[in-house]
């Protein structure tokens, strides 16, 4: 076995081992301590909350079961709605359906499916790093870098969107890179399809396609750019259009992604200085929707307290995204021995990515990856933010950090080599 294959096998083995460890021991307060949840909701859903790891996960599982048994999608409702995008409920419904056919447990099958996607993401990170930077060791650093990043080992056990969404994000990024390098229609079509599926799990990455469009236009003629655009559109036509048509027919509304208004409204509370319940009561008393209330609050906030609101939307929300590794606060009590290294690794990843952005900003690949992070943060900061949303974009930080480490080690080795040659020459001369 070659050295490269040996390292690759070690990466996959370690990822499998860590996932199996967390699957078997199932640590974390959200899976073991009912006190972390609101008592009124635990009375309604009981042990399901601990089994699935969060209330949103319970709602997703109920929605998937309802989709299987009654044939309609209604999140936290007994009637059809478009409160969330259909990706996660459909994904879980497929898994639950397979579990039913084989007599398996819904939750166990979902965890195993998430585990496989999470392990596969480390493999994708290897290929992304290798194809973007053309260095196999950048690929290995990227793969190992993601494999060692803690939040995946929490979220693959919770039936939330993080694991499938990040897998689809990395897969779409790899397909885009291959499409650019090979200029093959197959990769362009697959990119459009996978990216569209991603948006059915998480709509927030949608604006990132503008970076892809910019790269295509910059590197191609107008005619070829239009040809590629047509190939990309196959994905939205196959994946997103049926969802829009369903919403028009069933709900009599044009809804591109989801009808949820709460994230925009909940994000209009700078540094959580106001009580959220009071915010809701004021909106209800005014007889307006959360979306309308959000627009009013934003307009009034920027007019009356510009410094506070600018700092909140530019800096405050960004800090909330990356202030800690996602979900680590649920492991502070019984697992504190590994918490500090996880924090350190998280911060070092971000710092190394920032160094790469500053030092190598003139390199096209680094510039585009950095622009992805900036655009994602800008879009996320419009809405409510927490470290779950920060976790989604961490693969890009890991790619940039891996490149920074590779270049640093290479320059160090070159320096030592030149120093060694210098001393050998001096000794020979003497």
């Amino acid at each position: 076995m070659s050295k490269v294959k040996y390292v690759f096998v070690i990466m996959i083995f370690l990822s499998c081992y860590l996932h199996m460890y967390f699957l078997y021991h199932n640590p974390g307060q959200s899976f073991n301590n009912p006190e972390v949840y609101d008592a009124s909701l635990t009375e309604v859903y009981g042990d399901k909350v601990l089994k699935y790891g969060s209330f949103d996960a319970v709602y997703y599982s109920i929605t998937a079961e309802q989709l299987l048994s009654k044939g309609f999608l209604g999140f936290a409702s007994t009637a059809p709605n478009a409160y969330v995008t259909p990706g996660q409920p459909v994904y879980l419904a497929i898994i639950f359906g397979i579990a039913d056919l084989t007599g398996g447990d819904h939750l166990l099958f979902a965890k195993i499916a998430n585990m496989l996607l999470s392990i596969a993401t480390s493999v994708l990170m290897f290929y992304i790093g290798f194809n973007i930077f053309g260095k196999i060791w950048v690929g290995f650093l990227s793969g190992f870098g993601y494999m060692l990043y803690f939040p995946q080992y929490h979220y693959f056990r919770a039936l939330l969107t993080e694991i499938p969404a990040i897998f689809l994000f990395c897969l779409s990024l790899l397909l885009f890179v291959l499409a650019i390098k090979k200029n093959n229609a197959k990769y362009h079509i697959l990119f459009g399809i996978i990216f569209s599926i991603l948006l059915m799990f998480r709509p927030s990455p949608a604006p990132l396609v503008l970076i892809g469009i910019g790269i295509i236009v910059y590197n191609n003629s107008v005619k070829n750019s239009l040809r590629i655009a047509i190939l990309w559109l196959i994905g939205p036509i196959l994946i997103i259009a049926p969802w829009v048509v369903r919403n028009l027919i069933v709900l009599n509304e044009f809804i591109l992604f989801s009808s949820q208004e709460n994230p925009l409204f909940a994000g209009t509370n700078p540094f959580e200085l106001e009580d959220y319940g009071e915010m809701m009561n004021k909106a209800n008393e005014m007889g307006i929707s959360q979306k309308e209330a959000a627009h009013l609050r934003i307009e009034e906030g920027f007019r009356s307290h510009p410094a506070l609101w600018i700092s909140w939307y530019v800096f405050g929300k960004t800090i909330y995204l990356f202030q800690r590794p996602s979900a680590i606060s649920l492991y502070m009590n019984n697992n504190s021995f590994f918490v500090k290294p996880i924090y350190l690794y998280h911060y070092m990843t971000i710092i190394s990515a920032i160094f790469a952005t500053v030092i190598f900003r003139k390199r096209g690949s680094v510039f585009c990856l950095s622009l992805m992070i900036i655009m994602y943060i800008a879009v996320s900061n419009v809405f409510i933010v927490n470290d779950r949303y920060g976790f989604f974009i961490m693969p890009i930080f890991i790619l940039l950090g891996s490149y920074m480490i590779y270049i640093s080690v290479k320059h160090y080795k070159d320096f030592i080599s030149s120093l060694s040659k210098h001393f050998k020459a001096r000794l020979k001369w003497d």
Side-chain angles (χ1 to χ4, degrees):
M1 183 183 293
S2 68
K3 187 177 180 180
V4 170
K5 289 181 179 178
Y6 184 71
V7 176
F8 194 79
V9 169
I10 290 175
M11 181 184 74
I12 296 175
F13 172 79
L14 288 175
S15 182
C16 290
Y17 173 79
L18 288 169
H19 279 90
M20 291 301 295
Y21 175 87
F22 279 88
L23 180 65
Y24 178 76
H25 292 283
N26 201 37
Q29 293 186 58
S30 61
F31 299 103
N32 298 282
N33 182 9
E35 294 181 2
V36 301
Y37 298 109
D38 186 273
S40 62
L41 289 172
T42 52
E43 288 177 8
V44 177
Y45 296 107
D47 292 341
K48 260 195 169 183
V49 182
L50 291 177
K51 282 178 62 180
Y52 292 105
S54 80
F55 285 115
D56 280 349
V58 173
Y59 292 138
Y60 277 125
S61 67
I62 292 172
T63 304
E65 290 165 357
Q66 191 170 250
L67 182 59
L68 277 175
S69 61
K70 299 181 180 178
F72 69 85
L73 193 150
F75 185 83
S77 172
T78 56
N81 64 28
Y83 191 75
V84 297
T85 46
Q88 185 70 3
V90 171
Y91 168 67
L92 291 178
I94 293 170
I95 295 169
F96 292 173
I98 295 171
D100 288 339
L101 288 173
T102 58
D105 177 71
H106 284 185
L107 179 59
L108 179 60
F109 270 56
K111 286 182 177 180
I112 291 172
N114 278 347
M115 180 176 73
L116 294 174
L117 293 183
S118 187
I119 293 168
T121 302
S122 292
V123 176
L124 289 174
M125 286 290 288
F126 163 79
Y127 284 109
I128 293 168
F130 173 61
N131 279 281
I132 287 179
F133 297 106
K135 306 293 181 181
I136 198 162
W137 288 108
V138 178
F140 278 126
L141 286 169
S142 301
F144 274 96
Y146 184 79
M147 182 267 291
L148 292 172
Y149 193 61
F150 168 75
Q152 64 186 299
Y153 299 106
H154 171 84
Y155 285 111
F156 90 89
R157 293 171 289 137
L159 307 192
L160 297 168
T161 61
E162 274 69 22
I163 296 302
I166 290 173
F167 169 80
L168 290 166
F169 175 54
C170 290
L171 180 57
S172 62
L173 178 57
L174 176 60
L175 288 169
F176 175 78
V177 173
L178 292 175
I180 296 299
K181 292 180 70 173
K182 300 178 182 296
N183 196 24
N184 188 307
K186 172 181 68 177
Y187 290 113
H188 284 295
I189 293 170
L190 286 172
F191 165 72
I193 292 171
I194 298 300
F195 192 74
S196 298
I197 296 173
L198 165 63
L199 299 184
M200 293 291 94
F201 281 84
R202 282 278 185 89
S204 55
L208 298 184
V209 78
L210 295 175
I211 299 172
I213 292 171
I215 293 171
I216 293 297
V217 171
Y218 182 79
N219 290 290
N220 292 272
S221 64
V222 174
K223 182 180 178 180
N224 201 36
S225 296
L226 289 173
R227 181 186 70 86
I228 292 170
I230 292 169
L231 295 175
W232 284 14
L233 282 172
I234 293 172
I237 290 170
L238 292 176
I239 306 300
I240 299 176
W243 172 244
V244 174
V245 172
R246 175 264 188 188
N247 294 332
L248 286 169
I249 295 172
V250 176
L251 306 176
N252 199 29
E253 288 184 78
F254 175 80
I255 300 172
L256 183 59
F257 294 121
S258 72
S259 60
Q260 203 174 160
E261 297 178 348
N262 179 264
L264 179 64
F265 176 72
T268 62
N269 187 8
F271 302 98
E272 300 180 356
L273 296 175
E274 295 184 60
D275 179 74
Y276 182 71
E278 291 183 7
M279 289 170 53
M280 288 287 292
N281 290 335
K282 288 179 182 177
N284 292 333
E285 289 171 4
M286 295 172 68
I288 56 177
S289 68
Q290 290 186 28
K291 184 177 181 180
E292 292 169 327
H295 291 158
L296 287 175
R297 287 178 58 82
I298 292 169
E299 183 182 343
E300 173 62 26
F302 276 98
R303 185 174 63 248
S304 303
H305 306 285
L308 173 65
W309 282 69
I310 290 172
S311 64
W312 170 237
Y313 274 88
V314 176
F315 303 109
K317 291 192 176 190
T318 305
I319 292 170
Y320 273 59
L321 283 173
F322 305 111
Q323 63 183 335
R324 59 175 175 258
S326 187
I328 194 63
S329 59
L330 299 169
Y331 296 79
M332 299 294 282
N333 291 341
N334 299 326
N335 303 282
S336 56
F337 69 93
F338 69 76
V339 168
K340 287 184 179 179
I342 289 171
Y343 266 98
L344 179 62
Y345 181 69
H346 173 74
Y347 294 135
M348 290 304 296
T349 299
I350 293 173
I351 291 168
S352 60
I354 292 172
F355 271 110
T357 298
V358 173
I359 297 171
F360 306 113
R361 63 189 179 277
K362 292 184 180 180
R363 299 187 182 183
S365 54
V366 172
F367 175 78
C368 290
L369 290 172
S370 303
L371 191 59
M372 287 176 68
I373 292 174
I374 293 168
M375 185 173 288
Y376 178 82
I377 292 172
V379 173
S380 297
N381 285 5
V382 174
F383 306 98
I384 187 173
V385 293
N386 59 46
D387 50 47
R388 277 181 61 191
Y389 307 136
F391 173 39
F392 178 85
I393 201 66
M394 284 305 297
I396 307 301
F397 280 93
I398 291 169
L399 287 167
L400 288 169
S402 298
Y403 182 65
M404 185 70 229
I405 292 169
Y406 171 80
I407 293 297
S408 299
V409 171
K410 183 176 182 298
H411 284 179
Y412 174 76
K413 288 174 69 176
D414 290 345
F415 172 73
I416 295 297
S417 178
S418 63
L419 200 63
S420 175
K421 289 179 181 178
H422 172 75
F423 279 112
K424 285 180 180 178
R426 287 292 300 272
L427 288 170
K428 188 177 180 180
W429 184 79
D430 291 337

